[in-house]
Amino acid sequence: MLFRSVVGMILVAGALDPNLGKPRWYNLAASMGVVSWALSQEMRKANKEIMSLHDDLAAIATRWHELDLPIMVIQGLNDGLVYPKNIDYAEQVFSEQQATIVRLPEVGHLIPWQQRALFTEYMLSFLQRFNNVTAAQVNDESL
């Protein structure tokens, strides 16, 4: 198996629910010639990822149960890019024993930057389950 060394998974402000992963009106507009041309290369790439997101999420929706590892899902409840209701979906597909669900009120999409100390605390508590990980390693931006 390719990922034998994967011992846990942390999803931060991630899209999970195929029904919430459909392109929004501005994604459709950004895919059109003139609008797409006016966007930066990074924005075009991000938009391209969103355009296929629904299909990608639908393809893995029936396979989440195959994951046999601890999972932490962290979601800001004021996220304007990824629907916060994705965390409700996470509660449906992952068992209580498998997943730690973290709802952050009044936090948006950029959780590691908006709530760095709190984010580091959650990361550290999760990572310490597997190894002797230190706070310095979690905060090391070179990793």
Side-chain angles (χ1 to χ4, degrees):
M1 180 178 218
L2 180 61
F3 296 108
R4 285 190 182 170
S5 63
V6 175
V7 294
M9 180 170 65
I10 301 173
L11 301 166
V12 181
L16 296 167
D17 186 342
N19 294 321
L20 299 175
K22 296 176 182 173
R24 300 180 191 184
W25 68 267
Y26 50 82
N27 299 114
L28 299 173
S31 297
M32 296 179 185
V34 174
V35 177
S36 179
W37 174 81
L39 296 174
S40 68
Q41 182 178 353
E42 291 84 7
M43 291 299 290
R44 283 193 303 272
K45 182 178 180 183
N47 196 63
K48 184 177 180 181
E49 291 172 1
I50 294 298
M51 295 305 291
S52 66
L53 181 62
H54 172 266
D55 293 342
D56 295 342
L57 291 174
I60 62 172
T62 60
R63 301 197 65 194
W64 285 118
H65 72 278
E66 295 177 23
L67 290 176
D68 186 24
L69 46 82
I71 298 166
M72 177 177 277
V73 183
I74 304 173
Q75 178 64 54
L77 299 183
N78 282 346
D79 193 327
L81 295 176
V82 172
Y83 288 109
K85 287 189 177 249
N86 276 286
I87 203 157
D88 298 333
Y89 181 82
E91 286 182 319
Q92 293 171 13
V93 297
F94 303 125
S95 72
E96 244 181 77
Q97 295 77 25
Q98 180 184 28
T100 302
I101 304 292
V102 179
R103 287 178 166 82
L104 299 176
E106 303 194 25
V107 177
H109 186 69
L110 303 175
I111 295 167
W113 296 273
Q114 292 174 327
Q115 294 290 326
R116 185 175 183 94
L118 185 59
F119 175 74
T120 300
E121 183 181 320
Y122 281 117
M123 295 283 291
L124 189 57
S125 71
F126 188 78
L127 294 173
Q128 283 179 333
R129 296 179 187 182
F130 313 108
N131 205 338
N132 193 13
V133 178
T134 67
Q137 289 171 308
V138 172
N139 283 315
D140 186 351
E141 294 181 12
S142 67
L143 297 177

